[in-house]
Amino acid sequence: MDKILILKGNIIFTRTADRFEVYQDSYIVSVDGKVEGIYKVLPEKYINCTVDDYGGRLIIPGFVDLHLHAAQFLQCGIGMTKQLLEWLNDYTFNLEKEFQNVEFAKEVYTKFADKLVANGTLRACIFASSSTKGTEVLFEILKEKGIGAYIGKVNMDRNAPDFMIETTEESIKGTEYLIEKYKDEKLVKPIITPRFAPTSTDELLEKLGELAKKYVLPVQSHLSENIDEINWVRELYPDSNHYSDVYNKHLLFGQTPTVMAHAIYLEKDEIELVKRNSVTLVHCPDSNINVRSGIMPLRKYLNIGLSIGLGSDIAGGHKIALNEAIVRTIQLSKLLSMDQPEYEPLSVSESFYLGTKGGGTFFGKTGSFEEGYFFDALVIEDNSIIADRYGLEDRLERFLYVGDDRNICARYVEGNKLK
Ligand code: GUN
Ligand code: FE
């Protein structure tokens, strides 16, 4: 029998980035986890179904975080005066090594998952650590939560402290073990995750590319984030045309669905390759600022038609809540436009789109309430003085800017209400 779910409230989402679709006081019907329609008056056939009536509250698509590191959760807001390579060496690797300890992994990943779900992220592309056992713990915890995620064991076989790297064989063996164990999961699935080019040998990248191809798995990594990093990649891979080419040569650049975080300093040829291979780029505004990497030329990429989502990049970014990333995206685009007036700042609907449908597309049909999309939704409550005084778009903007998990009163993934 069909599983029918009906919510009533003020429904807002973005079909296209340029404007919000707004349905005041309406019903949204989900059948078998997918949106069937939005109605002002409930059709006859649903008249005997129960309705979750949320009154004047807002109903919006769940947030999608296309890039964050679960194993860096404790480090949020720490080491923020460093730049990338120093930050990794002085803080990050020391913390990530702790996830070899399963008890530690359980404790921290549970806190991480609670916080992620509380803040309305219902789909996420997540880096765990290089520990296979630790990563397995994260799979189990997120399965329990009921959200959608791609989780990657982080592959590294050089240029990091000894306690962090594995041999190429160990790294591949652990990765394949997790793939075999979780590849048929419905919501929480494996993703191939070379940390970034500098901590990978050619051989590791080659074998990861083979795994991606063999199991038809998506890929995530970091790309062109920081000037020192880019120079280092040039030294390590003198035969590659550019940073993107390192991944592309090894079938890790769009040969299967691929997300690349940051992509701040792409050369012209790289941008063309990103577009040709339909690689999705992830804008991580807080991280761009915190580790002083630079600012992704987002408007330029949007004009070119690249596929883009948003990432908190915990712990390069300090806030796990994706509404913060949506706001910071707008703020950074304004700063960039002061210097470069040809780059128009993003509107609220454009940034909201990136944090919902833009990133959601990586998970299939999610991030929107169009017919046939997975019903992934948040119910937002604001106070009655605000609700009485402002229109729905203003209220959504206000939630994005000043709201937090306390304003989210219900969460649904594929038509199931989360506990
Ligand atoms: N590049 C390689 N590793 C990392 C990481 O952990 N965080 C960020 N922001 N960039 C990276
Ligand atoms: Fe990152």
Side-chain angles (χ1 to χ4, degrees), residues 67-69 72 127 222 225 261-262 313-314:
H67 181 76
L68 77 168
H69 301 257
Q72 295 172 17
F127 283 56
H222 297 92
E225 176 178 7
H262 307 297
D313 192 22
I314 293 304

Side-chain angles (χ1 to χ4, degrees), residues 67 69 72 84 87-88 92-93 96 127 195-196 199 222 225 229 243 262 287 291 313-317:
H67 181 76
H69 301 257
Q72 295 172 17
L84 178 66
W87 175 81
L88 286 172
T92 312
F93 292 145
E96 287 189 21
F127 283 56
R195 180 174 209 113
F196 65 157
T199 49
H222 297 92
E225 176 178 7
E229 170 212 17
Y243 200 152
H262 307 297
S287 178
V291 285
D313 192 22
I314 293 304

Side-chain angles (χ1 to χ4, degrees), residues 143-161:
K143 266 171 59 179
E144 189 75 14
K145 290 285 160 202
I147 65 164
Y150 283 121
I151 299 177
K153 164 192 157 80
V154 179
N155 302 104
M156 296 193 265
D157 69 346
R158 67 163 163 171
N159 292 328

Side-chain angles (χ1 to χ4, degrees), residues 124-184:
C125 286
I126 305 174
F127 283 56
S129 74
S130 54
S131 165
T132 301
K133 276 206 184 87
T135 304
E136 203 168 3
V137 170
L138 184 60
F139 269 96
E140 293 302 323
I141 289 171
L142 281 181
K143 266 171 59 179
E144 189 75 14
K145 290 285 160 202
I147 65 164
Y150 283 121
I151 299 177
K153 164 192 157 80
V154 179
N155 302 104
M156 296 193 265
D157 69 346
R158 67 163 163 171
N159 292 328
D162 284 346
F163 58 76
M164 276 305 287
I165 56 175
E166 297 177 293
T167 63
T168 314
E169 292 70 32
E170 277 170 337
S171 188
I172 294 296
K173 193 167 160 231
T175 304
E176 197 157 15
Y177 164 77
L178 293 170
I179 293 170
E180 285 291 352
K181 182 157 181 191
Y182 295 109
K183 67 179 166 38
D184 298 322

